[in-house]
Amino acid sequence: MPQRSDLPRVPQTAPAGQHSAGPPKRAVLNEPLITERGSPGRVGYSLPADDIPARDSAQDLPPELCRADLEDFPEVSEGEVVRHFTRLSQWNFSAATTLYPLGSCTMKYNPIVNEVVARLPGFAQLHPLMPAAYAQGALELIARLEHGLAEISGMDAISLQPAAGAQGELTGMKLIRAYHVEQGQPRKKVLIPGSAHGTNPASAALCGYAVVEVPAGPAGTLEAATLEQYMDDEVAALMVTNPNTLGLFERDIVQIAELVHAQGGLVYMDGANLNALMGVAKPGHMGADVIQFNLHKTFSTPHGGGGPGAGPVGVKKILEPYLPLPRVVAEGTGYRWSEDFPRSIGRVRSFFGNFGILVRAYAYILAMGGDGLSQATRMAVLNANYLRKRLESAYQLASDSPCLHECVFSDRSFQHTGVKTLDIAKRLLDYGFYAPTIYFPLVVSGALMMEPTETETKETLDAFADALLAIAQEAQDEPEALKAAPASTPVGRLDETRAARRPVLAWRRQP
């Protein structure tokens, strides 16, 4: 098993690159593992002599809980520890350091004030088993956030419990199934456009439905005439992402929803791209019966790393009786938890959801206000279209239609050079930018999906576009430079097959 120090060393500054302009030089200090640092007996603290009589803790603990040794535990000074983790932090690409153009998974800047609010002792130290009488502030925040999300989406009721967007999808599909079961006809199929998010088919299948893909039209959007051919009384729902994963608004959505409803089906609208509609248009007004919110994508809460997240679900009146338990209800001048909803699908999450994430989302909504949310949406759409126009001369667009919050290109312009989407993404790292989403959506060959978000300045967008234009020129002039990228990162291209099939998840000293 290789140690970090066995990996190829890289220069502390990036090479100038083969292109005449080349990527900017970027200092990246190589760093061994913490276990490869230090020396026996070295410590990171200084305490006075202990005057308490020594006692072997093994006398008080069961043998199975006692380790005989602590092999390879790093013994390092405070300075070594601080420098180690500071250097590691410089390896990161994040929204805190640069534009993070990850399409379809919005990487908004998370305002620091949201973190401050979420860490207020009254929120951070609140125990989930605290009686409602002593947690009125938290319950009021939940009720207010539910009201705010209902207003933004045009839905009638909200559940904040699901712990992520994908769980919100699953919850929404469970609501749809519960509704059809109660109607006496569970139905068998869910229609999903090819431009939907990848988790949609899984959520429908987990609820026992067969997934039927509906092709998009030439413009990249779903057409009512096409959908009509797939509709019958066995369709439980249409699961549509709007705007879709090409960043395009589904122009026929109202007519499509009417077609689905006419056959007794329901419309599930994937709300992951709500940041392109927030404050401007409401899914509830387009015919959606249920929608999930990815709070990290629209309301600026932390994203990724496996959570914690939040994927609230909003529904129209016909689905409200099935919402998860418990629900917050007003009582007198306060609030309480209630499980008095006999048609509910039950619990979908332990306790009451990831409350800290809900606090951040509520703080964001309050700080922005109605006009601020609308302006954020307009800026996100403007930024994506600005990027689209700056790059369209060098990169082939997936659709000629103006985009909303994200734009999608393909690598077809470079096929004669042998340069692929992966090469472009890797080369962006040399220019100091994290790579956009690649090879998604699947309906676009060699897709490059970019989402600049509303907080990026024109200068930042220009720097990003300049880097991509320089890379496009490199692809034509010196394609081998791209195929070898990245050159400035501590680790170059990995053997992705080996990494997937033989992952090294824990360090062990070589014999």
Side-chain angles (χ1 to χ4, degrees):
M1 183 177 301
Q3 299 183 26
R4 181 77 66 186
S5 55
D6 296 329
L7 296 171
R9 295 289 178 179
V10 298
Q12 294 189 359
T13 55
Q18 301 301 313
H19 185 257
S20 57
K25 292 184 178 181
R26 173 169 169 263
V28 179
L29 297 176
N30 214 337
E31 182 66 14
L33 297 175
I34 192 74
T35 48
E36 298 169 348
R37 286 191 172 278
S39 180
R42 191 175 296 171
V43 296
Y45 61 89
S46 176
L47 297 174
D50 187 358
D51 60 355
I52 300 175
R55 178 179 174 80
D56 184 1
S57 57
Q59 299 176 10
D60 304 317
L61 296 172
E64 65 271 19
L65 298 181
C66 297
R67 296 182 62 168
D69 54 45
L70 202 57
E71 186 180 3
D72 290 326
F73 189 83
E75 298 178 76
V76 291
S77 68
E78 180 176 315
E80 287 175 297
V81 172
V82 170
R83 289 173 179 170
H84 174 73
F85 287 106
T86 301
R87 286 172 173 169
L88 286 185
S89 73
Q90 293 172 339
W91 290 15
N92 287 340
F93 289 83
S94 73
T97 57
T98 184
L99 167 68
Y100 207 94
L102 203 63
S104 199
C105 278
T106 316
M107 293 297 289
K108 285 191 173 190
Y109 176 71
N110 186 33
I112 301 302
V113 67
N114 294 358
E115 298 301 312
V116 174
V117 171
R119 285 165 172 74
L120 290 174
F123 291 140
Q125 298 178 14
L126 191 63
H127 195 282
L129 295 179
M130 178 74 73
Y134 301 109
Q136 284 296 297
L139 268 63
E140 182 175 352
L141 185 147
I142 289 172
R144 285 174 175 264
L145 180 57
E146 287 183 355
H147 177 77
L149 294 179
E151 177 64 27
I152 290 169
S153 64
M155 308 306 281
D156 295 321
I158 305 289
S159 169
L160 302 178
Q161 283 193 30
Q167 195 190 15
E169 286 181 28
L170 180 62
T171 301
M173 292 308 300
K174 282 181 173 289
L175 302 176
I176 288 174
R177 185 167 188 85
Y179 166 82
H180 285 304
V181 169
E182 194 165 273
Q183 301 302 310
Q185 186 187 8
R187 303 196 171 204
K188 298 178 180 177
K189 300 181 289 187
V190 170
L191 306 183
I192 301 181
S195 57
H197 279 113
T199 47
N200 288 178
S203 298
L206 282 171
C207 289
Y209 290 114
V211 174
V212 179
E213 181 176 331
V214 183
T221 55
L222 192 59
E223 296 181 344
T226 303
L227 183 91
E228 193 170 16
Q229 300 172 23
Y230 289 81
M231 276 305 302
D232 58 38
D233 61 4
E234 289 294 348
V235 173
L238 166 69
M239 203 170 186
V240 58
T241 301
N242 192 22
N244 64 28
T245 53
L246 291 173
L248 306 177
F249 183 75
E250 295 287 354
R251 294 178 180 272
D252 288 354
I253 186 63
V254 172
Q255 186 181 357
I256 286 171
E258 290 173 353
L259 285 172
V260 175
H261 289 154
Q263 294 273 6
L266 298 176
V267 176
Y268 182 106
M269 191 174 293
D270 185 318
N273 292 340
L274 187 66
N275 56 319
L277 305 175
M278 174 180 64
V280 177
K282 301 182 179 184
H285 294 176
M286 303 173 196
D289 298 295
V290 56
I291 177 178
Q292 106 278 351
F293 306 80
N294 293 28
L295 293 189
H296 62 274
K297 295 187 69 173
T298 304
F299 300 101
S300 195
T301 61
H303 174 283
V313 171
V315 296
K316 286 298 186 66
K317 280 289 184 186
I318 58 169
L319 293 177
E320 183 176 1
Y322 311 102
L323 283 175
L325 298 175
R327 297 183 60 189
V328 169
V329 296
E331 184 175 63
T333 58
Y335 299 89
R336 65 179 175 83
W337 290 110
S338 174
E339 299 202 10
D340 188 20
F341 297 93
R343 296 157 69 189
S344 166
I345 62 171
R347 284 183 174 268
V348 298
R349 178 74 170 83
S350 58
F351 298 111
F352 313 111
N354 288 325
F355 180 66
I357 298 299
L358 306 181
V359 174
R360 291 173 173 88
Y362 185 60
Y364 176 78
I365 292 172
L366 280 187
M368 296 292 284
D371 292 341
L373 295 177
S374 302
Q375 183 66 4
T377 296
R378 293 189 173 93
M379 290 302 298
V381 173
L382 175 64
N383 284 358
N385 279 282
Y386 180 75
L387 206 56
R388 177 179 177 275
K389 290 299 292 182
R390 281 221 55 196
L391 297 175
E392 65 180 5
S393 62
Y395 292 83
Q396 187 178 72
L397 281 164
S399 170
D400 293 332
S401 303
C403 62
L404 290 187
H405 63 302
E406 60 193 1
C407 49
V408 182
F409 299 90
S410 80
D411 63 358
R412 288 177 179 162
S413 304
F414 312 108
Q415 285 183 346
H416 67 285
T417 69
V419 169
K420 301 182 183 303
T421 296
L422 180 65
D423 304 321
I424 297 168
K426 294 295 185 185
R427 188 58 166 165
L428 262 175
L429 302 179
D430 287 334
Y431 281 81
F433 293 101
Y434 189 73
T437 296
I438 59 175
Y439 299 114
F440 183 82
L442 300 178
V443 292
V444 177
S445 174
L448 274 163
M449 177 192 274
M450 307 169 193
E451 185 174 359
T453 79
E454 78 282 3
T455 52
E456 301 300 345
T457 65
K458 180 177 181 298
E459 291 80 6
T460 300
L461 296 177
D462 281 334
F464 181 62
D466 289 344
L468 279 165
L469 293 173
I471 291 171
Q473 190 62 51
E474 287 181 327
Q476 305 295 341
D477 298 342
E478 299 165 277
E480 296 308 313
L482 270 65
K483 296 174 185 176
S488 64
T489 52
V491 178
R493 295 209 190 186
L494 301 176
D495 183 336
E496 296 184 0
T497 302
R498 184 182 176 195
R501 295 181 178 178
R502 298 176 56 192
V504 179
L505 304 178
W507 179 84
R508 294 285 187 276
R509 186 175 295 281
Q510 291 288 332

